[in-house]
Every structure is written in C-alpha cells, then in structure tokens.
Amino acid sequence: MSVYNRRSSVVNLNQLVTNIPVRRKAADQVERDKFEWSQWQSATKAINNIESPAKEKHVRNLILGTFRLEGARLFWSMMIRLQLESHPIVCWKFCYVIHRLLRDGHKNVVNDSVPLAPYFEQLGKFWSPLSNLESSGGSQMSALRQSYGIMTYRYCRLMISKLTFHERNPVFLGNLSIGEHNDIRRIFTDNLDAYFQLCIELLDYMEELLGLAESVFTSLDQSRANSMTTAGQCRLHPLIICIQDSSLLYDYIVKVLFKLHDSLPGETLQGHRQRLNDQFRRLKRFYEQSSTLQYFKDLIKVPILPDSPPNFKLKDDIKNYQPPVAIVHTPPPEPAPANDGILIDTSDDTVSTLSFPMNDDWPPNGHVVDRSKEIADLEQRLLNCDAMLRENRTQTDELHRLIAAKDTELITERNHRLQLEEQLRQQLDNQRRMEEMHALEKKANSEEKFNKLLEAYNKLREEHIVVLRREGEIKKQLANLNQEYIQLKATYKNIGDEFNQLKIDYEQLKTKKNEEFNQEIIQLRQTNDEVFMNMNNIKSERDRFEKEIEDNRIRLNDSNNQRQNLEKALREQTERTATLSHTIETLTREINEKKQVLQHEMTSFENQSKILADRETKQHELETTLTQMSRLINEHENTATINEKKLEELQLTNKTLETTLQNKTNEFNNIINNVQQKLNDVEQKNNNLLTTTDQLKIINSTNDAKLIESNGIITELQHTNKQLEKQLEQSNREKEEFQKEMIEFKKLMEMRESELQERLSALTNERNDFQIATVTTTERIKQIEHAKQSAEDRYKALENEKSSINNQLQSEKSEFEKRLNEAETERFDLLDKNREHEESLMDLIHEKEELEHKVLDLEATAREWAQKFVNTTDNQKLMQSNHANLINNLKQQYKYSILTFCINQMHDGIERTKDIDLLNCKSGAEYLLSKLRMAVTSTKTTQDLWNKQASGDESTTFPFLNECIALANCMVDIVVHGKATSNLVQDIDQGVILADNCRDVTLLCIDLYSNYQTPSTSIDYDKQSNDLMRRLNSLIDKTTTLLPKVSDISKEELGDLVEKELQLTHETIDEAVRQLEAMMAKSREQDTGIKCEVNGQILDSCGKLMQTIKVLIIKARDLQKEIVGQGRGTASAREFYTKNHKWTEGLVSAAKNVGVNAKVLIKKTYRFLDDNNVDLDSADRLLGGAGKFEEIIACSQEIAASTAQLVAASNVKADRESRNREALTHASKAVNASTAQVVATAKNCASIIEEKIFVICSISTAYDIVVYGATPGGIAAAITAARISSSFSIVIIEPTSYIGGMSTAGGIGLRDLGLEITTVGSVAQDWVNNNYKYYKNVTNPIYQPDMNVSRQSFLDLLSMYPNIQLITGTGPLIDKSIQMNSTRIVQVTTFDDRRTWKASVWIDASYEGDLVRYSGASYTWGRESRNQYNESYAGVQPYTTFANFIPNYPVNATLDNGTLAPYISPDKLGQVGSADLNMMGYSYRLCITPNQKKQAPFVKPKNYDPNNFVILQRYIDSLMTSGKYPTGPPFDKLVDVLIYRGYPSGDKFDMCDSFGSAFTSDAINLNRNYVNGTTQDRLHIAEIVSDYVLGMIWYILTSPFVPEVTRNSLQKYCLCNDQWPENKHIPPQLYVREGLRLINENVFTQNHVVSGLCRNDTIALGSWVHDIHVVTRTVNESYVNNEGAMFKSIAHINGSKSGPAFEIPYSILLPKRNEVTNLLVPVCHAASHVAYAATRVEPHFMLLGGAAGYAAAYSILNGNIDVQTVNISRIQETLLRDGVLLHYPVGHCD
C-alpha cells in the first residue's frame, strides 16, 4: 500500500464535517440529487492529478453551490471522499479551490471552515519535506512530491493563518473587504490595543502569503518550467489570488501603522516597521517577478509599488501614499456545450489518473433518478434559453464597454447643457423678481434716489459695454476651439481605423505563423521518431568516442565563454536602451507637466492667443526632442544588430567546431547535429515570431500614445471651454446686478435672452449632430467587432485542430505510461506480497518462539504446582481461596477509598478555618457542644466496630465505614464551628486555644483514619481511639465554660448586674481610650516618615471610635434610668429588672459584647503597631501578615454590631417620644460613622504603604556587570570578574529567595563530577575547600554537603569581594521591559520589585535563559535532527531496552475505558533521527535519610490521585511476573538512592532517577511549554512535577496493591528534618535538566566533544558523560515505551579521539555578533542536545561562569568592546594563573 493513500489518524475530518450545520436544502429530492451530482462532477474535475490549472467554470460552479446551500458543508463532505494525501497535485488544487471558496463563496464558508484548521495543519505536516513518509510511486511520483510538497505545505500554513485571522477578526469578509472604501482606520475607533494586535496579525498573514509565493517561484526555477507550459501554469495559478490579497493586506498594514504612529512613540513600533520594510522588499520582488510572466498579463494587472515604503515618522507622508490596486481581467466566456443538461461541463476531456471512490455512498442520495421525458425536454429548453441569454449578456457587456468612453462624454456634455438651461431659468426668475421690486421702488423712492440710480446706471452701462466686447472675443475663441476639436476628432477616427487595420493584419500573420509552426512540429515529430529508432543502434558505439568528445568540449567551452562575453555586452547595450527609454518616459512626463502648466496659465482672455501660440511652439520643441531620442534609439538598435551579427559569427565558429566534432564522432554525432540544427531552426522561427509580435505591440503602443495625446488635447479644450463658461457665468452675474439697479435694462435683457435662446438652439443642434456621429461610430465599432469575431473563430478552429493533434499524442503517451504504470504496480505488488510473506514468516517464527517459551513456562508451572499440591486433589479449595482474596481486595479498596474521602474532607475543613471570611462568622457554644458529644459517641461506636472487624466479623465492614463518614462530618463541623465560636470568646488567648484544640482533635482523627487505611499489628488502635475520646471530652469541658452565664444568675441579682455591666463597659472604654492615647504618644516619639503617618491615622480613627462608644454608653445608662423610673412605679429598680428578666438578659449580653470587642480592637491595634514596618524586607509581612488592616476593619465592624445590639435592647422598653432615646439614636449613628471612618482610614493607609513600597522598589541602578541568576555558574562569574578589579560594581540578581541553584536549593551540590582534577584552581575548588571548616576531622573533599553549609560556603566566597552585591527575591524578568541599543542590552526590569537594572555587560546564568530569550538572541530547545549537525545520537532514538519496560512483559498503555493512562503522551514519535521539541524529564531531588533522629515524614501532595500511578503498579506487577523480583522490587530498584558524595556521617541520600527502572522519579512529558511559557505556566509545571514525585512516594506507602517488600524498603527512609524546613523539607528548586540553548555560528556538538583535545580557544575542561534521561513516554503497539535515554562515556563513542576529558571553547558563551554583543551565557550555552548532555552539570557551569566573568571584565577594561572581540589568549592566561587546567593530561598539548 502506498504511503500517499494512508489516511491520518490524528484529525478526524469526517467528525469535523458533521459538526457543520445544514442551513438550506432543496425542497425536491430529485432537484437535490441532481444538484449534488453536478457539484461532485465539478469537484472531481477541478481537483485532479492533471498538472494544469483548474478550469474556471468548475470552480465557479462550486462557488455558486455555496450560495445555494448558504455554506460549505456539501463541499467538505465531498472532500472526505477525495484522498487528498494520495497525490501532491490533488492536494495543491484542493488548497486553491478552498481558497477561492473562502474569498468568493458565501460568507458562511469561512465560519464553516474555521473548525477545520487542524486538518490543514495535519495536511501540511504530511506534505512537509520534514515528513517521515517516503515516496513509493516511482521516480516520477517522488519528483512531483519533492516539487509540490513544500508548496502545499506553505499553502496549508497560509490557510491556517487565514482561518485564524478571520476567526479573530470577523469584521473582515473572505475577500478581506471591510465595507465601503475599506477604511480600516475606523473599525476599532480609538482602541489602540486592538489596532496594535491587528497589525501583528496582518503582518503574520502577509508573512505566510509571501512564503507561499517564494516557494512557488523556487519550484518553478527548479522544475525548469515556464509560465506558458501547463506545469508552470498549474503552479502559478493560485498566485492570482495571492496578488489580490497581498495588495489589500499591504494597504491595511500601512494605514494601521500610520494610525498607531499618531498615538504611540516610534521606538515602540520599531519592530513593526522593520517587519514591514522586509515584507515590502519581498512583496516588490514578488510583483516584479509576476509582472514579467506572460501568463499573468491577460489575467491580472499586477500592482506597482514605489521604490521605498512610506515614512511613518512623517505624519504628512500619508498624503503621498497610493494604495496598490490589483485588477483581475474578465476572462472571455467559455463556449457552452450543445447538449448539456446541467450547469457544468460534464464532457471534460481531461483524463484523471486518480481512482476516486465512486461507490454507492456518493452522491449522498444516489444517482439522479430519471423523470418523464416531458420534464427533461422542458429543462433542456430552459437551460438552452439560459445559455443564449448568457451569451447575449456577454455580447451586450462588451458593447457597453466599447461605448463607455463616448457615454461619459455625452453625459458630461448633457450636464453642461442642463447647467446652462438652469442658469437661464434662474436669470428669468431673477428678472421677474427685479421687475416687481423696481415697480415697488418707483412708488417709494424719490427723485433724488432716481438721480443717484441714473448715475449708477451710466457707470454700469459703460462697464456692461466692456463686458459685451469681451464676450464677443470669447465667442470667437470658442469658434476656433470648436474647429480644432472637429479636426482632432477626425484625426482620432483615422488613428482608430489604422489601429483596426493593424490588428487585422496581426491576426492574419498570427494564424499564418501558427499554421507553419504546426507543420514544422509535425515534421520534427517524424524526425524525432526516426532519431529514436536510430539511437538504440548507436548506443553501443558511443563509448569509444568519449575521449575525443571531451577534447572538443573544452574547445567548445572556450567558444561558449566568448559567446557569453558578447551576450554580456549585448545585455549592457540593452540596459543602455532601457535607460534611454526611461529618459523618454521622463521627457513624456515633463511634457504632461508642461501641458498642465500651460492649462493653468490661461488667466485672462486678452493674452489667450499668445499662450496658445507659445504652447504650440513648446510642443513642437518637445516633438523635435522626441525625434532626436528616437534617432538615438535607432542608433542603439543598429549597434545591437551589429552585436547580434558578431554573435552569429561566433555561432558559425561554434558550428564549425561542431562539424569537426561530428567528423570525428562519425554517424552518431551527425545524427545528433541534424536534430540539433532542426531544433535551432524552430527556435529561430519562434524568435522571429516573437520579434514580430513585439514590433506589433510597439506599433500598438505608439498608436495608444497618439490616442492618449489626442485625448489630452481634447481634455485641454474641454478645460478651456469650462473656463470660458465660468467667465460667461461671471458676466451673467454682472448682468443680474444691472437688472437689480435699473428697470430700464429690461429691453436690453430681452435682447440678451433672445441671444441666449439662439445660442441654446445652436448648442442643441450641435448636440444632435454629436449624437448622430456617436451612432455612426457605434455601428462602425459593431462592424469591426464582427470582423474580429470571425477572425477569432478562425483562430479557434486552428487551435482546436492543434489541440486534437496534441490530444492524440497525449493519448498515445498516456497509453504507454499506463502500461508502464501497470508493470510498475505489478512489480510493487509482487514486492509487497513478498514482503508480506516474509513478515508473516517472521511472525510465525516469533509466535513459535513465544509458544515454546509458554510451553516451557507451563511445564515449569506444572512442575511447581505438582510439588506444592502433591497430596491435594481438590481444586475447588483453590478457587474458593482466590474468590475470597478477590472479595477481600475489593473490600480493602472500598475501605481505602472511603477513608481517603474522609481524610480529604477533614483536611478541607482545616483549610476552611484559614479563610479570612470566617473572622466575620459567629457560632454559639451550644452547637459546638452538641457536635462534640456526637463525636464522642461516634468514636466509641467506630472503636467497637473496628475491634469486631479485627476479630474476623466481616459483617461489620460497611457499618464501620458508615460510622467513619459520620465521625468525619462531625469533625469537620467541630473544626469549623470551633473557629467561629472562638471569635465570640472574650479572652482572645482562650479563643485561640479553643480553635487550636479543635484543629488538633481533627488531626488526631486523621491519623487514626490513616492507620485504619494501612492496618498493622504494631499499632494500638484502642489507645488512639481512647486518646481521641479523652481529647474530645476535655474539649467538651472547656466549651461548657463558654456557655452564657445569665441563666445561672438568680432573678434577684439581675437588677444589680445591669448597672454593673454598664459601669464595667464604661470603664473598659475609658481604659481603651487611655491605651490609644499612650500608643499615639509613643508612636510620635519613636516613629518617623510614612510609619508615623500611617500609625497616627489608625490611632486617631480608633480613638474617635472609642469616644463615640463612650458617649453611647452614657446615653444608654441615662435611657435605662428613665425606663426604670417610668416602669417600676412604687417598686425598686432591682424589682423592675427582676420582673423583666428576659429583657435584662439581652441588655447585659449586649453590654458585655461592647466591652469584649473594645478590648479586641485594642489588642489588634497594638499588634498592628508592633508589626508595622515600611521597609522592603518586611513589606510583605505588613500587607499580608499578622498586622494587616483587615483585622482592624473586622474588629471595628464587630464593635458597631455590638453597639447596635445594645441600642436595640434599650429601645425595647423606651418611650417613643423620649429625648434620651433620641439622644441614644444619635450616639449610635455617630458610632456607625466612626466605624466607617476606621474602615476608610485602614484602606487609605494600605494604599499609602503600597504606593510607598512601589516608589521604594522602583529604583533604577547602574552597574558595570549584572549577573542574572545566583546559580553556581553566576556566583563564579561574579567572583572572577571581581578578582580582575575591585573598582567594578557587580550585582547578582536572583528571582527567588534562594542562592546556589541546584547546589543548595536543589540538593545535588557538585555531585556530578567526572575527573576531580578538572576543578583545580577554579571557584568550584574554592567552594569545596570552604566546606571543610564546617565539619570536624574530615579529610576527603565534600562535594555534597548539607544545604545550609552549601549556601554558607557560597556566601563566604562572596563576602571576600565587597564590590559584589547579592539581591534575592527580585522575581523574573519582564519580557517587554528589556531595552536594546542596536545590539547591546541597556536595561531590564524585574517583576516582583519593579526595579530597573542597567549594566555594561550582562551574564545570563539562569537555568531557563530568560535574558537570552528576551534580548533577541537566537535560541532553541528540544532535539536537533541527525542531519543538522551530523550527530549520530541526535534526534528521536530507536527502541532499546535501556531505561525501558521489560520486553517480554509489556505494560498496557490504556485504562479499562480505552483512554490512555496518565503520564503517557498521545503524540506519535517522529522518524528515528528526526528533530522534535521534547526535553528530558524534570524532577525534584529529595534528600532522604534512614536516621530516625533526622527524619521528617513524607507529605501527601495537594492534588494526589492514586489513579495517576496505574502504570507504576503495572510495572511493579510485570517485575514480579517476570521473576526478576518475585516478591516485589525494592524501592532503591525503582529509583536511585545515592549517598551524599563526601558527606561525613553517611546518613543522607539523594533520591534520583534510575536508568535501571522504567517508571521512576522523573516527570516525563510534563515539561511542555516550560521554556517558552509564562511565569504562571512555569509555576504550574513545577506544581505538577512536585505532585508527581511526592505522589509516587505516597502511593508506594499507602496503596494496598503495592507489595510489602517495596513498601517496607521505602518506610525506613524519611525526609531530612534539617533540610529546607521552610518548604516542608522539600527542595524548592525544580531540577531543570535542560532549558533553552543559545544558537550562534559555532554550536558545540557531539563531534566537537569526541574530536580530541588541544583546541586553541579552550576555556574549560569537561569530564562528564553523555547523560540523557528519558525524553518521552509514548505508546508503541498499545504498550508503554520510554524513549531517548542514554548514558555513554565519551571515550566509548564510535570514532572518539577524546579520553576521559574534553575541551570546551570560548565560543560556547557567545550570541551571534549581529544580535547581542554584551551578553555571556555560561549555563544555557550554545550546544546541541547531545553535546549539552555532557556539559549540563554544575561543575562545568562554574568553570564556564568563571571564564565568562573574566571575559566581561576584559570587555569593560578595553573600552566596553564586544564580548565577541575579547582577546581569548588573555582569558586563557588568567585562567592558567588561577591554576585552571585547559588540557588533559597536563602537558599533553605542549
């Protein structure tokens, strides 16, 4: 089976198509079937494997289909059955058709196709050159795939970009139009962010479009095709749409950038301008290449771009911008077939070699059902009528286009006449109005006014006489101009006749030449057949003439060189001719400009004749200049002919050489020379035809130029006529003024009106004459078009005859190719069958071997069972025992899951107590007491049921679990309501103790449940249960003391208690006021600045609140006295309170709450003042710690609620009209206002501190050297730079709060060290030596000390250099904050502290390489292919048993529901050796110990799920089944438990990934998107990796399915309690084995590692192995497979010349010089994936960091030169002085 027919299994196209909605259906089933069948035929004819462009009629029919169905569902359903992967041309044409549908189809086509973007991605990958598919269709298919593969891949990327663009920007239609005028600058109004994003998307769209165009032209050059061949046209046809889209895209980009530059600074948009400039050059080259192709000249008018893009920094430059316009020429109508029953051509002569599936399921509803003959005849007649109508319409359109120019002239003339008529009408109306006005004025005006008017009349009369004289002169000039117009019109007609005659002659010559050409082709074909027959006889004689041919070829090459020199001279001559033509064009432009100047210089009527005469003289001069230029052109043409003659003479010499060659090569060369001679004659004739055609085109162009010149003269005359008409209107306005002044002008106006009417009639007659001339011209045009049509018919007949001959030849060729393909297919079928037989034979052999192994296993099993059950024959007991075990396992699983649920529920309850909202929740002690008592009962019941279950009573299992659930619910209520109850306790300390006791009781219950999960005989369950009940009873006693005591007080004591409580509350408030005043005084004495301001505002607002509460207590006491006085009558106050004891109880309770909450507020305020500090180090504690503002706000709101309760209790018995009641209400309102003031003050102070922190943190500091990342490499770089000069200012900025990277925060120290001698003299050796002083009696080097010792050693080394500053907790870099000056980094900003850093030289020592990423330096990640750097271990690795699952005992990759198990990638692996973006798995290196004195328990991860470790359990089962570990694998066989290297006591171990285990502590497939992800992405990945590592340990410890051997081997270890106690003893640093890697001109590869020593640019020695951990875990034939692991010694690699060490060059640290020139990268250095596996250890990072520090220092000392130009010898000398080794062994390279 061919790989081209293989369907993709990643994207289900059928499923995507079914999701497209059906919007419209035909009402009749027959009509629907007929329509769908016609659509299917159009699709198969437009999308086939014939290498020719798709016919327009088929594509047009598909477009009409989308409008009929209002969508693209039918089209996509047809594409399911077209095997687009079967042939490259099919896929290429499919992309073109869908592109046309998206542009010209219904608007819903875009919406329907957007969800299918993943299918285009899959299709593009299939045809990508990097695809792992191999061609199996012969050399022809392979060539087609190679030619069309990259084009199809680029087209699919363009489609993805287009669909994504329309999805994000629905305002754009499929053809990229956005409404009227396509004004893109108004669609988002003033939303600059939207325009910024839109500009990026438009640039991305343009990038993909230009990539497609460039790939097409590249393919055209490689295939040696041109635009006039079908192969070339097939490639070029989609570029028509690309030209249309690119013109609009370029226009939109330019307009959006102008709008952005109006509002944003130019530096912000520098990247946009650079991208546009690059795309402008590529687009201009694309347009120039397209405009030179003959194929495009009749199809589209290619836009012309200016020499340079717009200057966006100049706002006025938009006025000079002209948008490019691409005009598609309307193709001639295709002849419709005579008997066609449908709308498309079903009799297409193109024969497709594809076998499309034409099965029963297409068309979707079967073939068209034939109806009655009458219906068919009617439909046929209707379609014929439609065809005739279409033909008539096309003819009408052509006629309309021909007379369009005349129509425009008539319309303008008609408008002019209408304007004159309107002016006359207005003049008449004005005349009537003037008559009426003057009649009235006669009656009203006196004789004095009449005299004045008479004087004015005389004056105006004289002026009017002057105007009349001017009008006479204008009439004469108009007559002369009309006469010139008539002459020009006759000239235009003569030129048109000459043009038509030339056109007829051209058509006749063309037909004649085509006939001769066809005859010559026939003769050549006959000669070719004869040559082909003779070639077989001559091949045997060819060998003995090869030596002589080579000698003659040398001579021929010499002559060819001479010919090339002459051709070069000829090209230079043609370039000179082109420059002359350019000069002519400039002169013509000057002529046009001078004509325009002459038109605007006609300022007055008196000098008009002089101006016309000057214009004629200037025009005559220009014409003489043109004649001189034409004479120069003729001279250059003569020189060109001379050069051509010389070229012909050289060709004759070449022919003589060829004849001598023919004489020596006998008959073979004679035949070949004859054929070549004939071919040369044919080419010469073709060249003659082309030259004749070019001459005709030149004649046509000259005629067009004459027509244009005549049209220009006509437009000049029209412009002159308009000016005269304007002056005429001015004279009319002057005439109206005369009419307004004097009524005596009436007779004169009547005469003027008669003259105008005569003129109007004359103009009307002239218009009629012009219309008659237009009719005659139209008739003449029709006659010319009729003659043209007859000539075209004759030409088409000749073309049909030629095509028939070509079809005959093509049919013969296709039959031969068909026979050849059949033979090839038969051969491939035989090979496939042979391969299948071989595979089946291998499978049978494999099955035989497996059966033999199984037989042996069964025999061994049978012997084993025979030994075990020698005396037993009852098999039923075994089945019963298995059944019992299964039931027990199920019960254990159910019990385990129920208890896990209960534990999680109690943990959630504990987490809820930490919620700040719980501060506002209150709960009574009664409810808590009831829950405690229920918990005691439930605990007792649980204990009894557990004991019964332990004694063997299985019936108690489910009651026991139900009781566990009930107890867990009680514990949740206890811990939550205990926290809520503690909020009401008067004594804060007592409330805290109550909440802690409730939490401790819950944790004790959790421990009991954990022991229930993993039963053991060593655990005393009764003791734990009794302890829990004892703690619960103790908590009951404490809670009982919190119950209200009012009910215990006798009614007689209530009267005294009310007054006492009010008095006590009053005293409490007074004490609170005194404490606040004391705190205020203390704050003013001690505090300053922002702290004094914040404390003063808080204390002031709290003091005011206490004062208002004090007033409220006084008013409440007054109201109580009034109430008692009014209600007690003759009784005493005590008797009154006793009588109303319920009301008294509420009053007492309210008074108590006021006092309690006042005390709480004082304590919270005191804690706030004690914790308040505005320094940076404690800013986080201020805003989020114990002294935060929320507690003060909550306490103040509690006081307000308590006072409201007191007021409400007092108002119950008060009189509504009482003044004391009104005063108490006002006091309550004052308390509420003071409370609001406290809340507002607290919030304001919080904002003040935040602003102060931001101001403090927003510091910009400049340094000489900035080291990003306090890793070992970064610390080494800072130290070595400080050694050069103490004057350097150096800073190390660390995003986290830890220093030392993996050596301190990751737990590995400098463990991974090959040769210890390689660290001699370096900072690494200093660090190792410094570790000695923290341990006693130690002689061996300590490479892996305690993490606190490791950190202190680094601090000790840094303290020796006072010019090094270490700043931690800065947070990561802000990606858009980096500023560049050309290729130098200027400054960056860190996220957490918002601090800006400036430096001369930068060193990126981070594990992620963010400084490289954001600076614009080139980088990569993942794995390179083998071919990229010629590395044998690069790319995807083959299947091996190393670090993999057991071969004969595979592990199933799917769950029971058919889905993949967790931690398995669904992606398919690429071909072996191919590149991908996968990386080694990340992990956490835990520090564990068996020493019980140093142990801390393992913690359960937050997101733990035992189902995530199904593969681990299956792997353990396979180890047991295989017999490798029958009772279960020990824990140290699943992971490596490595003793700390050099650690003195030897009781600490490093938990690391093991190459001997398939499922270990590396989190494989979980680090995707880490390198290029955001900070949130990285935190999320770190969290899931932590959950994986800790979850694996927790699963082994708690799962009942894990063998006891495995669990027990792990239980002896625990976390070390002296390591990272602040992080629950877990390493805070994620082990990032590889991040991004720098790319420069000299990437360090595997070949450099093994190529030997003695480099001249060495800066460090490496001594580690190629250490690559598992990269991917995928599915291999439904089983789990690990891939990518490698652990190879350098000396053992094939072809290695290195020993145990290798040399690392200086170039590994450097970015490309044209990108960044002040950055050094010691960690994420420039190495391939394979080479980085040998350099990625901490000792190497420290060596490279030390060299980077020296390089940075010398760069500054030499005047801040580029780091690429630093003297390497000077760095090496410094390293050698420090004792660093550069070659191994020592002296090896001397």
Side-chain angles (χ1 to χ4, degrees), residues 461-521:
R461 183 172 179 274
E462 293 175 357
E463 293 176 355
H464 184 62
I465 292 171
V466 174
V467 170
L468 290 176
R469 291 175 181 173
R470 292 180 180 177
E471 184 178 0
E473 293 175 358
I474 290 171
K475 286 183 180 180
K476 292 179 181 179
Q477 293 175 358
L478 282 175
N480 295 328
L481 291 173
N482 288 331
Q483 187 175 1
E484 291 177 1
Y485 171 74
I486 293 169
Q487 293 176 357
L488 289 173
K489 189 174 180 181
T491 305
Y492 171 76
K493 185 175 180 181
N494 295 329
I495 292 171
D497 294 336
E498 292 176 1
F499 171 76
N500 293 329
Q501 185 62 35
L502 290 172
K503 191 173 182 181
I504 293 170
D505 295 337
Y506 168 75
E507 294 295 334
Q508 292 176 356
L509 180 62
K510 185 178 180 181
T511 54
K512 183 178 179 181
K513 294 295 182 180
N514 286 333
E515 291 175 358
E516 295 176 357
F517 182 72
N518 291 331
Q519 292 178 0
E520 290 174 355
I521 288 173

Side-chain angles (χ1 to χ4, degrees), residues 420-434 728-729 731-733 735-736 739 749 752-753 756:
L420 292 175
E421 292 175 359
E422 184 65 23
Q423 291 176 2
L424 291 174
R425 201 176 294 111
Q426 290 178 359
Q427 291 175 1
L428 292 174
D429 293 339
N430 292 332
Q431 182 180 355
R432 295 190 194 94
R433 294 191 191 98
M434 291 297 298
L728 183 61
E729 290 175 0
S731 64
N732 290 333
R733 284 194 296 269
K735 181 184 66 179
E736 289 175 359
Q739 290 176 352
M749 292 300 300
R752 178 65 177 166
E753 181 180 358
L756 289 173

Side-chain angles (χ1 to χ4, degrees), residues 810-822:
Q810 189 68 25
S811 61
E812 293 176 357
K813 180 180 177 182
S814 61
E815 289 177 359
F816 176 76
E817 290 178 349
K818 184 177 181 182
R819 290 196 299 270
L820 182 61
N821 290 331
E822 288 176 354

Side-chain angles (χ1 to χ4, degrees), residues 1588-1723:
Y1588 171 87
V1589 176
L1590 298 176
M1592 175 184 175
I1593 295 175
W1594 196 258
Y1595 179 85
I1596 295 173
L1597 289 174
T1598 59
S1599 174
F1601 307 104
V1602 175
E1604 290 292 331
V1605 173
T1606 307
R1607 184 182 297 109
N1608 294 335
S1609 62
L1610 174 58
Q1611 284 178 346
K1612 69 179 181 180
Y1613 295 103
C1614 280
L1615 296 172
C1616 293
N1617 57 14
D1618 58 350
Q1619 303 293 297
W1620 312 291
E1622 74 282 358
N1623 200 44
K1624 299 180 181 179
H1625 313 290
I1626 299 169
Q1629 174 65 55
L1630 175 66
Y1631 192 9
V1632 180
R1633 283 194 170 91
E1634 57 177 340
L1636 63 82
R1637 301 189 303 278
L1638 185 68
I1639 294 178
N1640 60 18
E1641 298 85 356
N1642 300 300
V1643 176
F1644 194 64
T1645 66
Q1646 171 191 335
N1647 300 319
H1648 296 117
V1649 174
V1650 301
S1651 62
L1653 305 177
C1654 301
R1655 300 176 61 97
N1656 56 4
D1657 58 346
T1658 303
I1659 58 172
L1661 277 183
S1663 58
W1664 194 237
V1665 298
H1666 282 297
D1667 183 5
I1668 302 177
H1669 290 244
V1670 175
V1671 177
T1672 60
R1673 179 174 290 137
T1674 58
V1675 181
N1676 183 17
E1677 298 180 354
S1678 75
Y1679 297 112
V1680 187
N1681 176 40
N1682 291 342
E1683 180 270 333
M1686 181 193 306
F1687 193 82
K1688 290 185 178 292
S1689 174
I1690 297 168
H1692 295 150
I1693 295 178
N1694 293 333
S1696 175
K1697 299 179 182 178
S1698 301
F1702 57 94
E1703 296 180 4
I1704 304 175
Y1706 174 70
S1707 60
I1708 204 171
L1709 309 175
L1710 306 176
K1712 293 180 180 179
R1713 174 172 261 177
N1714 60 349
E1715 293 176 347
V1716 186
T1717 56
N1718 63 338
L1719 174 64
L1720 294 156
V1721 189
V1723 177

Side-chain angles (χ1 to χ4, degrees), residues 50 141 319 348 387 521 528 536 601 648 666 668 706 713 924 985 1043 1055 1111 1188 1404 1451 1469 1554 1576 1770:
I50 300 299
M141 181 64 73
K319 298 178 181 178
D348 196 297
I521 288 173
N528 190 18
N536 294 325
E601 288 179 354
E648 289 176 356
N666 296 327
F668 170 76
K706 292 180 179 179
I713 296 171
V985 179
L1043 294 175
V1111 173
K1188 56 189 178 181
D1404 187 355
V1451 173
L1469 276 177
S1554 173
Q1576 290 75 15
R1770 192 173 181 185

Side-chain angles (χ1 to χ4, degrees), residues 170-187:
V171 70
F172 290 84
L173 300 179
N175 57 0
L176 295 178
S177 63
I178 53 174
E180 187 176 3
H181 304 302
N182 288 336
D183 193 357
I184 197 170
R185 292 178 291 177
R186 298 181 180 178
I187 58 175

